[in-house]
Each structure stands twice: as structure tokens, then as C-alpha cells.
Amino acid sequence: MVLEGFCAFSDPPKATAAAAVARLAAAGVRVKILSGDDPVVVHRLAGLVGLAGETTLSGAEVAALSDEALAVRVRAVDAFGRLTPDQKVRVVRALKADGAVVGFLGDGINDAPALRQADIGLSVEGATGVAQAAADMILLAPDLEVVADGVAEGRRTFANILKYVRMGASSNFGNMLSMAVASVALPFLPMLPTQILLNNLLYDLSEVGIPFDGVRPQATTEPQVWDMGRLVRFASVMGPLSSLFDLLTFALLLVVFGATPEIFRTAWFLESMATQILVIFVIRTGGRPWRDWPGAALAISSLAALAVAVALPFTPAGPWLGLTPPPGPVLLAILAITVTYLVLAELVKPFALGGRVARGPGPILPGPRHRSGLA
């Protein structure tokens, strides 16, 4: 036999891999390589993409470790080589046992068990059918940058969802308390059914712009988790606060102005709409509202809904809805109540959110977080 030469195969990482790993690291997502290739190759690849690859565990070393010992080792090791499918599953389980939320990205048949074991299984278009079937999501582009983009967009979406949930929970709770008190204390309906439906419709339309609202970088730098306790705390503070101003409105209308049922309903309708809609600009951010302006879509949808609500009593549609133009002093009183409410809402916001207001633009300081990782 005659040696003609050597044949080498070059399979470098994608040009965007190192930047994507750095972006994920900055976002609190730790990347680990779980491969069936030789540990020497994996070690070299980890160095090329910027991972801490000083130590590379082989499949044989993983097999020699107990589950408890492996859960300790995975904290410091980012590269694993010559792993069998079962050993990939063990590494994923060890990461989860250590408190991490694990995403696994794989495209081969051998990756299917780990894809199912992970919290989030990711595969790519063109992967084996088994891997795609085992995955929760399939990336249309086989690039780690897509994952980094997805993490950023997911956190932005999550932050905006929290805005909507906080607003809806506190508003509904406050309205329920106000309506309960009014129905007992007043000799007439505090608001007609059509007015209640119109109130809800305009309020919902005012929040249409929330998905397009901007999110400060501080809200997306770390993983966030759903915290029901903080939501209940927020609603239990902001809801009664809005009810307190509703009761103040009731007292002024009945005792000071001697309002008729029609004037009473119209005034409370206007006060309710103004406080509900304008407080969006206060509680949408953990910073000061004048330093963290809302997105254009949210500002337009909110102010447009408020303008419609204020204009309705003065239009031909007002009498059909049971609304009548209130006197000037009543309108001034509603304006004063609304401004006072917004000031107090800004003052109690840190307590309601369970943190402190940021000095600069940004969200309230986050609650409990779980570390996350991508294997």
C-alpha cells in the first residue's frame, strides 16, 4: 500500500457563533456544548466560540459520576465530549436539578432523548424527523443568533404581558370594590349596564398599544419568572387606591354638587375612564414616567380612547348612552381628582411592585429569577 497523503475535514463554527454566545451570556443564558465528538475537538470548539473550555468532561468521566456529583460538576464545565444519548439526558437532568431552566438545541437522532428531557427542546429546519418531533420549537435558520434574538424578544413580550396583567388586575379589582360600595350606598344605579360595557370596551382599546410598547434594557438583561405573589400585592394596593378616589368622587358629587343620577353617572364614567387610562403611563414602568416615555402606539391608543370617552357626553350619542354634559365645576373636580390620583399612584408604586423606583429609565427591580442555560 502506498501513502498518498492525508485527508482533513474542516468544520469551523459559524461566524456568528461567538457573538451569539456572548449575547446569550450577557442575557444570563449560559451555553454548554454536549457532543458525541472527541473531547479534544469539543475543547477546541469551545475555545473558538468563547466558552470556558479549560475542562472538558468525556462520556467515560460522566459515566463514573453519580447524579449528585454530576449536578456539582455541570456548574463549572461548559464542554462535554464523546457523550451517548443517555449521558446527554443525564447532563440535562443534572442542570435542572441544580435549579436551571434548560433549553436543548439538537438536530440528530441521538439528540431526541435530551430534547424531550429539556424544559425547551429546539431543533432546526433540515434536522432529522425524530429530532423535529421531539422538539418544542423548530428554528427556520440553523444559527445561534436566532436563539439570542428569541430570548430578547421573549423577554420583551413577557415584560409587556406583565404590564397588561397588572393593569387589568388592579383596575378590575378597584372597579369591583367601587361598584360594591355604590350599589349598597346609593338609591340608584351608579352606572348603567351600557355605560359599564362602554367603559370596559374603551379601556381595552386603550391598551391595544401595549404589545408595541418599548421595554428598557434593564428588563431584558436577566431571565424573569411569573410571580403570582407580586401580582396579588400590586392589585391589592393599586385596586383599593383607585376605589378610594372613586368614593371621593361619590362624596363630592352627592354632598357638594347634589348631582342628579344622570350627572352622577356621567361624572363617574369620566373619572373612571380618566384614572384607568392615564394610570397606564404611571405603572407601565418602574422608573419615573417623565423619564421613560411610552411607545407611540400605546400613547395614541390610550389618549384616543380617553378623548372618545370625554367627548361622548357632548355628542348626540350621549343621551342614547345615558350620558349628559356635566357642569364646569364638576369637570374641574374630576380633573383635580384625576391629577391627585396619578400623583399618589406614582408615590405608592414602589410599594405595590415590591421594589424601589429606578433613578433612571427602566423597570422596577426584578423579583426572584431562575438561572437559564442552553445545552
Side-chain angles (χ1 to χ4, degrees):
M1 298 180 67
V2 178
L3 176 63
E4 296 290 350
F6 294 98
C7 183
F9 294 91
S10 177
D11 187 17
K14 287 183 176 293
T16 58
V21 170
R23 283 183 59 193
L24 289 169
V29 179
R30 189 170 178 179
V31 178
K32 298 178 182 291
I33 301 176
L34 277 59
S35 175
D37 292 339
D38 188 276
V40 175
V41 176
V42 176
H43 178 83
R44 171 63 176 166
L45 177 62
L48 291 175
V49 298
L51 295 181
E54 292 82 2
T55 302
T56 302
L57 278 185
S58 66
E61 292 172 313
V62 170
L65 295 173
S66 64
D67 291 341
E68 293 77 11
L70 183 59
V72 174
R73 292 299 303 275
V74 295
R75 299 174 186 173
V77 178
D78 289 341
F80 299 81
R82 197 66 74 191
L83 295 181
T84 65
D86 288 343
Q87 289 169 345
K88 291 181 181 180
V89 171
R90 285 194 64 203
V91 172
V92 171
R93 285 176 178 168
L95 289 167
K96 293 173 67 175
D98 192 40
V101 178
V102 182
F104 188 91
L105 175 61
D107 60 359
I109 295 176
N110 291 339
D111 295 320
L115 285 168
R116 289 191 176 278
Q117 184 63 38
D119 295 298
I120 305 136
L122 303 173
S123 192
V124 296
E125 190 177 39
T128 62
V130 174
Q132 291 189 1
D136 298 300
M137 291 185 286
I138 298 176
L139 309 182
L140 298 182
D143 195 327
L144 204 57
E145 281 281 358
V146 177
V147 178
D149 292 339
V151 168
E153 183 63 22
R155 292 180 183 177
R156 189 192 71 82
T157 302
F158 184 81
N160 281 334
I161 288 174
L162 284 182
K163 295 177 188 178
Y164 177 83
V165 173
R166 283 199 298 261
M167 294 171 188
S170 59
S171 174
N172 290 334
F173 184 40
N175 286 340
M176 178 192 70
L177 292 177
S178 301
M179 188 63 71
V181 173
S183 63
V184 173
L186 299 178
F188 54 84
L189 287 176
M191 199 177 290
L192 298 177
T194 54
Q195 294 168 347
I196 294 175
L197 292 175
L198 179 61
N199 183 302
N200 290 334
L201 175 62
L202 290 175
Y203 179 64
D204 289 340
L205 290 176
S206 72
E207 295 184 324
V208 167
I210 288 180
F212 309 100
D213 192 24
V215 175
R216 306 304 296 175
Q218 296 94 324
T220 59
T221 52
E222 293 181 355
Q224 300 187 45
V225 296
W226 177 262
D227 191 339
M228 190 64 185
R230 296 187 78 199
L231 174 60
V232 171
R233 176 191 179 101
F234 183 86
S236 64
V237 173
M238 301 303 290
L241 178 65
S242 66
S243 292
L244 178 64
F245 280 85
D246 285 340
L247 297 180
L248 176 61
T249 302
F250 297 166
L252 286 175
L253 291 173
L254 295 175
V255 177
V256 177
F257 297 108
T260 63
E262 291 76 16
I263 294 294
F264 181 96
R265 292 166 184 151
T266 302
W268 187 32
F269 175 83
L270 294 177
E271 182 268 345
S272 176
M273 292 304 306
T275 53
Q276 284 185 107
I277 292 177
L278 293 179
V279 80
I280 291 175
F281 302 118
V282 173
I283 63 179
R284 60 167 288 275
T285 175
R288 298 303 184 189
W290 55 87
R291 295 176 181 169
D292 186 7
W293 293 97
L298 178 59
I300 292 173
S301 65
S302 299
L303 296 180
L306 180 58
V308 171
V310 172
L312 275 175
F314 304 92
T315 65
W320 183 73
L321 295 169
L323 301 173
T324 186
V330 172
L331 290 176
L332 290 176
I334 293 174
L335 177 61
I337 289 172
T338 301
V339 172
T340 306
Y341 168 70
L342 294 176
V343 172
L344 283 181
E346 175 64 20
L347 293 177
V348 304
K349 179 175 64 177
F351 176 74
L353 290 171
R356 62 178 177 84
V357 171
R359 293 182 179 178
I364 206 74
L365 294 184
R369 301 283 175 81
H370 289 306
R371 295 181 298 103
S372 61
L374 182 70

